[in-house]
């Protein structure tokens, strides 16, 4: 997190401890409202189309819970969708008898748009739900093209933008989605425990509301009825970590003050540099498919194990994470390995840092 994000959170916690939680929120009401304006600028929508949530999964669950699934309804998704989303589809299948259809993947990576088109015509899905950048690879799904197809088919469309927000320009008008779920803590450089959800005017106009709507999302008007709030606020809970709302706002403002195109190019450049060099190290394989991979670099080192690599890099001051087979079951079947190491260079990383990381991998490989 940049210093301004940490400061925004700490200052609000200090204000809460001095004034009281409700009083602090009242004193900061203007800035708290500013979160919605900032998130709207980031995504290209009105502030009233944004809900603050606890994380990307929370955003996703709230969105998907608003759809009135019946037995036989179809969710069209991808083989590469995020693990928790896949589990949610299966949970909906178990409880409501929906069908989960996964469009074919191209051998070069990513969804086969011809098959998406075929699935839209054959299954008339109730929802198309796609993870923009899967957690376990640099693959970038063609979400704008799919948005156009969903618009033509009149299908509800949900994008999981957890890994793309802050990494590349996102405009919900161009993406033509009804929902976009995001987290604060990843490429956006915001705090943990915070996320947000975009809800389109179309979805709001259809009266979609989360299953567990509460008193922030709705007004209780008679003993047996309530009315949902007009905007995306209906997707929020009454209780919030306001320090994190302000921290997320600070992270978005920090990003908005920079050139998003440059950020995206720099992330791609560093990731491409790392992938190229990794491929040249004997015994090291990279696994990021697609025409123009993004900022998640995944690789495997033969003869070594994931935990030792992570530890060795950590000893050098480099943070990476491990993706295991069970985080992307279908994808890993094709890749033929049980784990990969995931490195996510950001725009603030330098080529010297990338070389330092690559040297580390060379040494780990030589010792394995
Ligand atoms: C693609 C993708 N979607 C969703 C999530 C879930 O995000 P959160 O942990 O903020 O709920 C992740 C987390 O890694 C992710 O990579």
């Amino acid at each position: 997190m940049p210093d301004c994000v940490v400061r925004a959170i700490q200052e609000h916690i200090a204000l809460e401890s001095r004034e009281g939680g409700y009083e602090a929120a009242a004193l900061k009401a203007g800035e708290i409202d500013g979160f919605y304006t900032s998130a709207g600028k980031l995504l290209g929508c009105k502030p009233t189309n944004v809900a603050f949530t606890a994380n990307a999964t929370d955003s996703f669950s709230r969105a998907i819970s608003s759809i009135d699934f019946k037995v036989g309804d179809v969710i069209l998704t991808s083989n590469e969708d995020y693990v928790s989303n896949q589990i949610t589809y299966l949970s909906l299948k178990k409880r409501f008898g929906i069908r989960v259809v996964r469009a074919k993947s191209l051998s070069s990576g990513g969804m086969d748009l011809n098959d998406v088109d075929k699935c839209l015509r054959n299954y008339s899905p109730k929802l198309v739900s796609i993870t923009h950048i899967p957690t376990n690879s640099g693959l970038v799904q063609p979400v704008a093209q799919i948005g156009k197809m969903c618009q033509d088919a009149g299908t509800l469309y949900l994008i999981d933008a957890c890994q793309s927000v802050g990494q590349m320009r996102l405009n919900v008008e161009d993406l033509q989605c009804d929902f976009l779920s995001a987290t604060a803590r990843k490429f956006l450089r915001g705090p943990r425990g915070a996320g947000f959800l975009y809800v389109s005017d179309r979805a709001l106009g259809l009266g979609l509301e989360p299953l567990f709507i509460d008193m922030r999302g709705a007004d209780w008007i008679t003993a047996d009825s309530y009315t949902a709030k007009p905007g995306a606020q209906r997707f929020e809970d009454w209780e919030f970590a306001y320090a994190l709302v302000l921290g997320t706002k600070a992270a978005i403002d920090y990003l908005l003050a920079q050139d998003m195109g440059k950020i995206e190019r720099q992330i791609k450049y560093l990731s491409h540099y790392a992938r190229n060099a990794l491929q040249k190290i004997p015994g090291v394989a990279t696994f990021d498919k697609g025409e123009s991979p993004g900022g998640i670099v995944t690789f495997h080192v033969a003869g070594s194990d994931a935990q030792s690599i992570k530890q060795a890099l950590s000893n050098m001051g480099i943070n990476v994470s491990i993706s295991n087979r069970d985080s992307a079951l279908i994808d890993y079947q094709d890749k033929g390995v049980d784990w990969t190491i995931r490195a996510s260079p950001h725009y603030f990383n330098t080529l010297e840092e990338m070389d330092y990381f690559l040297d580390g991998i060379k040494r780990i490989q030589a010792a394995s």
Side-chain angles (χ1 to χ4, degrees), residues 60-76 88-89 91-93 95-100 124-129 155-156 158 179 208 211:
F60 176 88
S61 309
R62 285 167 195 269
I64 215 160
S65 82
S66 73
I67 300 168
D68 182 22
F69 288 111
K70 301 273 193 312
V71 176
D73 282 344
V74 168
I75 293 182
L76 176 62
T88 296
Y89 308 141
S91 165
L92 290 168
K93 177 176 172 179
R95 182 163 299 191
F96 297 111
I98 65 151
R99 290 181 66 193
V100 182
S124 302
K126 191 141 187 174
L127 174 72
V128 174
S129 177
T155 306
L156 287 168
L158 190 168
F179 298 103
L208 300 189
L211 182 58

Side-chain angles (χ1 to χ4, degrees), residues 180-249:
L180 182 140
S181 53
T183 205
R185 75 179 185 282
K186 292 182 183 277
F187 284 91
L188 192 54
R189 307 180 65 191
R192 292 197 69 174
F196 48 98
L197 171 70
Y198 159 77
V199 187
S200 71
D201 284 338
R202 178 168 80 129
L204 293 168
L206 286 170
L208 300 189
E209 58 188 47
L211 182 58
F212 300 108
I213 192 164
D214 85 352
M215 66 183 191
R216 181 170 171 85
D219 295 315
W220 192 21
I221 50 165
T222 72
D224 292 319
S225 65
Y226 64 84
T227 43
K229 290 278 165 50
Q233 185 185 328
R234 74 175 75 146
F235 284 82
E236 293 182 336
D237 277 342
W238 188 84
E239 174 56 6
F240 269 0
Y242 282 104
L244 301 187
V245 176
L246 293 168
T248 306
K249 177 189 182 309

Side-chain angles (χ1 to χ4, degrees), residues 87-125:
I87 292 169
T88 296
Y89 308 141
L90 297 177
S91 165
L92 290 168
K93 177 176 172 179
K94 192 157 75 174
R95 182 163 299 191
F96 297 111
I98 65 151
R99 290 181 66 193
V100 182
V101 175
R102 299 184 183 95
K104 287 182 188 149
S105 308
L106 296 166
S107 56
S108 56
M111 293 179 83
D112 177 341
L113 291 176
N114 288 327
D115 197 54
V116 173
D117 184 46
K118 215 188 278 171
C119 290
L120 280 168
R121 280 186 281 110
N122 290 350
Y123 299 105
S124 302

Side-chain angles (χ1 to χ4, degrees), residues 312-351:
L313 289 171
S314 172
N315 294 344
M316 293 170 61
I318 300 169
N319 296 340
V320 294
S321 59
I322 301 168
S323 272
N324 283 314
R325 194 169 196 273
D326 57 6
S327 72
L329 221 51
I330 305 172
D331 200 25
Y332 274 80
Q333 254 159 25
D334 286 351
K335 287 176 173 165
V337 290
D338 284 338
W339 55 264
T340 55
I341 297 290
R342 184 176 74 154
S344 311
H346 212 330
Y347 61 84
F348 51 73
N349 288 122
T350 61
L351 276 184

Side-chain angles (χ1 to χ4, degrees), residues 54-60 80-85 131-136 160-164 181-186 192-195 296 342:
N55 51 60
T57 308
D58 186 33
S59 301
F60 176 88
E80 298 83 6
D81 253 49
Y82 181 57
V83 50
S84 297
N85 304 4
T131 297
H132 192 182
I133 300 183
T135 195
N136 60 298
D160 171 352
C162 181
Q163 295 284 1
S164 51
S181 53
T183 205
R185 75 179 185 282
K186 292 182 183 277
R192 292 197 69 174
I296 299 181
R342 184 176 74 154

